[in-house]
Amino acid sequence: MKDLKHYSLLPHNTFGIQANCDRFIDMETEDDVMKLKDMLDDKDMPLLIIGRGSNLLLTDDYHATVLHCSIKGKTIVKEDGNSVLLRCGAGEEWDSIVDYCVAHDWQGIENLSLIPGEVGASAVQNIGAYGTEVKEIIHSIEAVEISTGKKHTFSNEQCEYSYRQSKFKNEWKDRFIITHVTYRLEKSTDYIPKVDYGNIKSELERKGISMPTMKDIRDVVISIRKDKLPDPEVEGNAGSFFMNPIVEKATFMNLLEQYPDMPHYNVDSEREKIPAGWMIDQCGWKGKTLGKAGVHDRQALVLVNRGGATGKDILLLCNTIRNDVRQKFGIDIHPEVNIR
């Protein structure tokens, strides 16, 4: 366990924002996490629990305690001819787990390739991409209640997952430290991969691949993501900054009359999802800059640090874009990123 005072969070956020916290505790084992209850008092509050910081915007120094769980390891809990249960430490890099599963031809995780972050955060955020959400493969989650040091195991259903949401992000926020996540991957010969979302199908066709393997799909997803998303090491960012709004059918139909070419995705009989990036682009923000913060020139959903931006610079850009989208479309788009 590491317990550090006046610690820089620059290495712990992919926006590349310099901010300090009063105290930083990094836990390497489950026992470390269980000891937390005896290490914290009122001056540590409110706690901020982070992973790799790939979904975090720091707008100032954090005058309290930041917690990080760096538990590593992966273990096959159960395996049969149809599926495998893989238990992973919360501090494992997410994409290394995807790579491991794909290498074993375990199915259901391939579309989530190259998403930055750690295993624990995947279960909090319900990460998703290219028609897949991690809730589809989460079997169970192990967590320690910070105030009591008691271990809990939660089923997928108990976490109440929805689009980029979970109980860990709402009612259970800052109450638990996730230590392990167990994923259920398919091994079926009847498995049908999801290739109809985004450019996956056209890229596979361009490569002459009609019966793609899990590795084929992973390679294509990685290629697409690298082409349209900036490298945080080069230009600080947190990936998709905004969630795609889900609107009622009546609202959607009214907008479709005004914008016949508007892309959209059916959610259910009552609702439709509209890409926030498209709306931001329609407002003229793609590739534009406000101060030292800007919008990526290939994906309007991504806000970037042009160099030397503060968290307040990014937040100003965020709010300006939200206001423009609200005025043009009558829709409020909400940040996916955790703003602190």
Side-chain angles (χ1 to χ4, degrees), residues 14 19 90 110 116 129 154 157 178 228 231 234 272:
T14 57
E110 61 281 353
F154 299 104
E157 292 75 17
I178 293 175
K228 75 175 186 178
D231 183 348
V234 178
E272 206 79 12

Side-chain angles (χ1 to χ4, degrees), residues 168-182:
F168 290 106
K169 203 173 175 182
N170 295 292
E171 299 100 303
W172 296 344
K173 186 175 182 179
D174 300 331
R175 180 181 165 189
F176 294 96
I177 298 287
I178 293 175
T179 59
H180 297 85
V181 181
T182 298

Side-chain angles (χ1 to χ4, degrees), residues 222-239:
I222 288 174
S223 176
I224 293 171
R225 289 185 67 90
K226 284 185 174 180
D227 183 60
K228 75 175 186 178
L229 297 174
D231 183 348
E233 296 295 327
V234 178
E235 198 168 36
N237 71 92

